[in-house]
């Protein structure tokens, strides 16, 4: 009997890369809706198709979905974060959970640096002004990046890439990560409160977990430098959106660069209306090259496991 792979959702126009990889290995691919369906619909798809593997992008793969197919061997994330997968449930059932942790390091760090440059040089602000019919160079209140301090919360692959790029622009760079005890030359590892108080630009690169949910909240923002910039290119739930709106209104934050929101795609009108808010629709990971790499590598993990091999990027240790 041909083994079945369920693709729950995908954030690109088609499933050609996944299908080519899966079917090229002799397996069958069943694709769900492109946009992520509610958890109950994913559970129903798993019960209907009894997959041997699940590929998922944004859709929630719950413990119920995992339990729906006794044949299930792997849940492979088309991305980095695992907050949409019931990892513990998979582990208990002897099912691998994998991701592609390094496919978009360049893109996400570029996005963070892009937000920083746009804020420091007023790129988005003045573009909006000119399009509105205002030509007022005398109103410029711009910044020299090489005189600023950038604090990076989360110092993994992407955080380190962002640090190197901000250093190349002349910034002093601070970093905080409870799981990191070493850093490259000229990057200072500090505690979180020191990072907040000492940085003109704070970049969030932490994964979403119970310990990082609302890491940036009212208290954290109150400790930041007045007029600073907050950038989040990690997960929406790491930042309390209501606290950000208050921080902008108070002037503690002069700007935010948000690629992710905790209730996306819903954006509070107060955030949309604020001239210091730069918002992109969860695309920091995306480029032509990164998407092809992501899709191919995630599907290849499925092929490995269904072929009896070990995955290259396991995120758990299944109980067997």
């Amino acid at each position: 009997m041909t083994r079945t792979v369920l693709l729950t959702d995908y954030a690109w126009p088609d499933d050609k890369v996944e299908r080519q990889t899966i079917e090229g290995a002799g397996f069958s691919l069943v694709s769900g809706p492109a946009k992520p369906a509610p958890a109950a619909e994913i559970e129903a798809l798993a019960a209907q198709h009894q997959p041997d593997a699940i590929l998922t992008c944004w859709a929630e793969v719950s413990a119920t979905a995992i339990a729906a197919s006794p044949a299930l061997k792997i849940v492979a994330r088309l991305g980095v974060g695992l907050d949409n997968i019931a990892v513990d449930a998979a582990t208990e059932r002897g099912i691998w959970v994998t991701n592609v942790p390094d496919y978009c390091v360049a893109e996400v760090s570029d996005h963070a640096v892009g937000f920083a440059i746009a804020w420091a040089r007023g790129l988005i602000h003045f573009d909006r002004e000119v399009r509105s019919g205002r030509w007022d160079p005398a109103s410029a209140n711009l910044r020299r990046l090489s005189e600023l301090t950038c604090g990076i919360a989360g110092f993994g692959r992407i955080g380190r890439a962002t640090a190197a790029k901000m250093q190349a622009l002349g910034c002093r760079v601070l970093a905080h990560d409870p799981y990191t005890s070493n850093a490259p030359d000229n990057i200072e590892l500090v505690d979180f409160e020191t990072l907040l108080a000492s940085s003109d630009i704070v970049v969030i690169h932490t994964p979403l977990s119970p310990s990082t949910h609302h890491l940036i909240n009212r208290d954290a923002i109150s400790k930041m430098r007045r007029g600073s910039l907050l950038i989040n290119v990690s997960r929406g739930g790491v930042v309390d959106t209501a606290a950000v709106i208050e921080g902008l209104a108070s002037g503690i934050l002069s700007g935010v660069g948000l690629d992710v929101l905790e209730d996306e795609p819903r954006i509070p009108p107060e955030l949309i209306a604020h001239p210091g808010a730069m918002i992109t629709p969860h695309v920091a990971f995306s480029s032509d090259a990164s998407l092809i790499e992501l899709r191919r590598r995630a599907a290849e993990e499925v092929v490995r496991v269904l072929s009896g091999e070990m995955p290259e990027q396991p995120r758990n240790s299944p109980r067997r």
Side-chain angles (χ1 to χ4, degrees):
M1 181 180 293
T2 302
R3 291 186 169 182
T4 299
V5 179
L6 173 62
L7 175 61
T8 62
D9 63 302
Y10 45 96
W12 29 86
D14 55 57
D15 63 3
K16 289 181 181 178
V17 174
E18 296 83 357
R19 188 168 297 280
Q20 182 180 32
T21 305
I22 298 299
E23 294 184 350
F27 307 123
S28 174
L29 180 71
V30 175
S31 292
K35 292 185 178 180
E41 291 186 31
I42 302 303
E43 293 162 5
L45 283 171
Q48 176 186 354
H49 296 287
Q50 296 286 292
D52 299 87
I54 294 175
L55 272 166
T56 187
C57 186
W58 304 123
E60 180 183 352
V61 181
S62 67
T64 301
I66 288 169
S69 177
L72 191 64
K73 298 289 189 297
I74 177 174
V75 179
R77 173 80 209 286
L78 287 149
V80 180
L82 301 174
D83 45 286
N84 62 321
I85 299 172
V87 178
D88 290 345
T91 301
E92 288 292 330
R93 290 182 168 273
I95 296 164
W96 290 107
V97 175
T98 64
N99 66 353
V100 189
D102 54 354
Y103 79 98
C104 61
V105 170
E107 286 79 6
V108 177
S109 57
D110 283 352
H111 211 82
V113 173
F115 275 141
I117 294 173
W119 169 77
R121 303 306 307 152
L123 301 182
I124 292 177
H125 166 73
F126 281 111
D127 176 76
R128 291 169 178 165
E129 289 283 291
V130 171
R131 290 174 186 274
S132 298
R134 290 184 289 273
W135 186 276
D136 186 15
S139 68
N141 182 23
L142 306 179
R143 303 159 181 87
R144 178 179 287 179
L145 271 169
S146 61
E147 294 183 354
L148 302 180
T149 297
C150 177
I152 298 173
F155 205 55
R157 294 179 182 89
I158 300 174
R160 289 171 185 260
T162 298
K165 292 170 185 178
M166 295 302 290
Q167 274 194 318
L169 292 169
C171 290
R172 175 193 179 206
V173 177
L174 310 178
H176 171 75
D177 192 316
Y179 305 104
T180 297
S181 59
N182 62 82
D185 292 341
N186 301 321
I187 293 178
E188 306 166 51
L189 287 177
V190 297
D191 61 65
F192 189 52
E193 290 197 1
T194 298
L195 183 142
L196 294 173
S198 304
S199 300
D200 303 288
I201 301 168
V202 173
V203 184
I204 307 301
H205 281 309
T206 62
L208 178 60
S209 68
S211 65
T212 63
H213 180 258
H214 283 187
L215 177 71
I216 300 297
N217 52 27
R218 289 178 179 85
D219 180 61
I221 290 173
S222 73
K223 295 172 181 174
M224 294 175 66
R225 286 184 173 179
R226 187 164 189 83
S228 57
L229 170 69
L230 173 67
I231 297 171
N232 186 14
V233 287
S234 59
R235 282 290 184 270
V238 177
V239 173
D240 181 346
T241 304
V244 165
I245 292 169
E246 292 177 11
L248 287 167
S250 71
I252 295 176
L253 298 175
S254 67
V256 291
L258 303 175
D259 183 57
V260 289
L261 290 159
E262 57 183 332
D263 195 23
E264 60 186 52
R266 190 189 71 83
I267 308 171
E270 304 95 323
L271 197 56
I272 292 175
H274 197 283
M278 301 175 286
I279 306 169
T280 54
H282 205 147
V283 292
F285 67 93
S286 183
S287 74
D288 292 347
S290 70
L291 289 182
I292 294 297
E293 180 184 357
L294 167 66
R295 298 165 66 186
R296 174 182 54 78
R297 289 176 58 189
E300 285 174 349
E301 286 283 60
V302 167
V303 170
R304 285 188 194 93
V305 170
L306 295 189
S307 299
E309 301 174 19
M310 291 283 289
E312 288 187 352
Q313 297 290 346
R315 297 281 80 88
N316 66 338
S317 299
R319 297 181 182 178
R320 297 186 181 277

